[in-house]
Amino acid sequence: MPYVIVQQAAPAPSWTRQHAGQIVAAGGAGVLVVAVLLAVAVVAVAVGIGAISCAIGWLVIKSLMGSQNEK
């Protein structure tokens, strides 16, 4: 009795597996960009708060000095 050996072709790797490294690299780059943008936003907010508090302090000092000059 002859034996028939059927050999199946290996399944082609999926697109995700083929490009897994690129997907991971893109995800890492995206996370890096978001982190840099968040850092810039935090610095901008801090500078804005500093400028506002500086202006308020300058106005308070100016008003106090003005009231002393009038005496």
Side-chain angles (χ1 to χ4, degrees):
M1 185 173 0
Y3 290 99
V4 177
I5 299 173
V6 178
Q7 188 175 8
Q8 292 181 335
S14 66
W15 183 89
T16 308
R17 285 182 183 267
Q18 287 179 344
H19 300 283
Q22 294 172 351
I23 293 171
V24 170
V31 168
L32 186 65
V33 168
V34 169
V36 168
L37 289 177
L38 282 175
V40 169
V42 167
V43 169
V45 168
V47 168
I49 291 172
I52 291 170
S53 63
C54 182
I56 291 173
W58 182 78
L59 288 173
V60 169
I61 292 172
K62 185 177 177 186
S63 65
L64 289 174
M65 295 297 281
S67 63
Q68 285 183 355
N69 288 340
E70 293 171 1
K71 290 182 180 178

